[in-house]
Every structure is written in C-alpha cells, then in structure tokens.
Amino acid sequence: MTKTARGNFFEDFAVGQRIAHATPRTVTEGDVALYIALTGSRFALHSSDEFARALGLPRAPVDDLLVFHIVFGRTVADISLNAVANLGYAECRFLAPVYPGDTLAAESEVIGVKENSNGKTGTVYVRSTGANQRGEPVLDYIRWVMVRKRDPAAPAPEPRAPDLAETVAAGEIVVPADLDLADYDPTLAGEPHFWEDYIPGERIDHVDGLTVEEAEHMMATRLYQNTARVHFDALAARAGRFGRRLIYGGHVISLVRALSFNGLANALRIVAINGGRHVAPLFAGDTVHAWSEVRERLALPGRDDLGALRLRGVAVKDRPADGFPLFGEDGRYDPAVVLDLDYTVLVPRRR
C-alpha cells in the first residue's frame, strides 16, 4: 500500500462532501514583505502601521489578496492538484482583517460536479472558507476548476451546478467595525480621487507594465504553498496542452491590483470578488498591463465616510492597455486579454 498521495481526481468528488485542508499557516511579517517584493503593491493601508492606526486599526492588515492566496493554497492539494485549469470565482467576501501573527486554516464543501463532453475531465465547484486561530471566518468564496479523471471510463455523476449570485450585494459587504476614515490622508495614500469622483462607465488605463519572470512567479506560488502541478512541474507540463508551466492565475490578479494603484490608490481594501475568468494563460516572459472600468458606485448602509466601487479589472499581455481591449468583432475576448475580474473595493468619500 502506497503512503504517498496523487491528489483527488474528478471521480473522487461528490456534492455535499466536506474537506478539512491540511497545513494551517501562520502569516508573518516576512510573508508580507515578500508579497510586496513579488507584486510591487503600494497601497498605504497594507504598507504602514501608522496609516492603519490613524484609521482605527491596530496595525497594517495583511494584503487582502495575500490572505486569499494563502487560503487558496491550503485547498490545492485536495481540490486542484490534478487540475487542468482554474476556471472562475464567485461570491467571494473578505470578512475580517488578518494581521501578522494570525494563523489561517481552510475547509471546503463540494457544491457541484459536471463531467465535460470529452469524458477525460470534469468541472468541480467548491465553496472554501478561511478562518483564523479563533475560528472566526476571514474569507469565503466559490471557485470552479477543471479536473482530470483518473479513469476516462468511470461513469459520469449526475451533473449539478450551483446557482451563483452575479455580485456581492452592498448589504453583504463587510466593513471592519473599527475602520474610521475621519482622519484619512489622501496625500499619504497617493491620490486625490474620492468615491464621488469615479463615474460608472469610466475606464482607467493604469499605464504601467510588469514583465513576469520565471523565478518570480515560482517564488510567489511557493509562498502560497500552491502545489498544483501545472505551476510547478516543468517535466509534466511539457506533455500538457501548452508545453510549459502556467503562471498561477491568482498571481495575475495580484499584478492587476498592484498596477491599479495608478488611478485607484484610494481603493484601500478589497471587500468582494464578484466573479472572474482566467481568459488565457500567462507565461514567464509575458508583460502585463491593466485597465479598469467602474461598473457601479455603491453607497454603504450607515457609512458616510466611505463607499464601494464595483470594478472590472482587465489584464492584457504583451501590449499596452490603451484602447481598452476586451472583445473582438466576433464577440470573443481579444487575444491579448488574460484576466477579466469583477471585484469590489472600499473608497473614502469626500468629507
């Protein structure tokens, strides 16, 4: 009997199955510094203890996406070790700040399965939750992933796909209870634009580009302890569809967020990921540019110091974002688009 595990294949999943994931992770200041080194993120709330204290928080919270990646990384060995690709996200809410010294654990529930027409793969839908050392949920989200079958001849399960909300509604957005923007300093944040200045339909070219290096994306994926073979194993990847390792899609999300600082520096916290698609793969050597569209401006119940913006964040590779490429005349994504992300951020209101 072998003592090693090869991960779950499509036929190992069943609706209602609950999985407690191994390896809780204590987040350290070193993790925070390395994340900044790998992404270049510059948002003041996550960079400065003094800035955070001026807003009522005990210190700078861990970047929201670093929390997401660490929780995501707990789930990979059980959910997506044998994945062909991670396909999308929905109903993701950031529920409480995480600080250096907190320990994160994760569990998942399978909420849908559907075999693909080729009979070799299937789509698995899971709801995953991350909690801190006190058992308080800090994050929950749905994702769906294409997973290989161990045996193509294995019978297909009854297809079940969950009904997914298009967005996280304003009333479901969680704002940290002690967050107070009375003393918010836009000069230190890096931008004069407040919630009222963003107009639905407005598009923002974030201008700057970032070339992803092989060592850099591999280090990021290891930081999150994401062991999916499509990111790690160059030998196995040569036999795959693309013939080389894929960059973890979550790293692309982090790059879009980091690049968005130029134009959205006052987007101080991500509170929801409403949906998203990894449209095309990204590889080492590709250069990422990003642009955003303001989709909706949301007033938050009981808060006159801040509001929320629902944004469409788009990553393109190997071309500038000017012209805002998205769809071609055929209705399909422009070949340059690698990520189409719908997410919601908190932005201070003018007082």
Side-chain angles (χ1 to χ4, degrees), residues 281-305:
L282 193 73
F283 302 104
D286 291 342
T287 297
V288 176
H289 286 79
W291 61 270
S292 296
E293 178 184 355
V294 180
R295 306 195 75 174
E296 195 173 0
R297 199 167 61 190
L298 302 168
L300 298 178
R303 300 297 300 239
D304 62 1
D305 58 338

Side-chain angles (χ1 to χ4, degrees), residues 249-261:
H251 189 58
V252 183
I253 293 175
S254 284
L255 297 183
V256 169
R257 168 68 168 162
L259 291 169
S260 76
F261 180 87

Side-chain angles (χ1 to χ4, degrees), residues 204-207 289-291 316 319-325:
I204 304 165
D205 178 0
H206 299 301
V207 180
H289 286 79
W291 61 270
V316 298
R319 61 149 293 175
D322 59 337
F324 307 111

Side-chain angles (χ1 to χ4, degrees), residues 10-11 82-85 87 113-125 144-149 151-152 154-161 241:
F10 176 70
E11 55 264 52
N82 294 302
V84 177
L87 299 177
V113 292
K114 182 180 180 182
E115 185 176 83
N116 294 328
S117 59
N118 63 12
K120 299 178 181 179
T121 60
T123 301
V124 179
Y125 298 80
W144 51 104
V145 58
M146 187 187 303
V147 182
R148 294 180 179 87
K149 293 182 70 175
D151 177 9
E158 179 183 352
R160 287 181 59 183
R241 176 183 172 191

Side-chain angles (χ1 to χ4, degrees), residues 30-45:
D31 296 327
V32 172
L34 184 54
Y35 181 80
I36 291 174
L38 293 169
T39 64
S41 184
R42 294 185 285 159
F43 291 92
L45 182 65

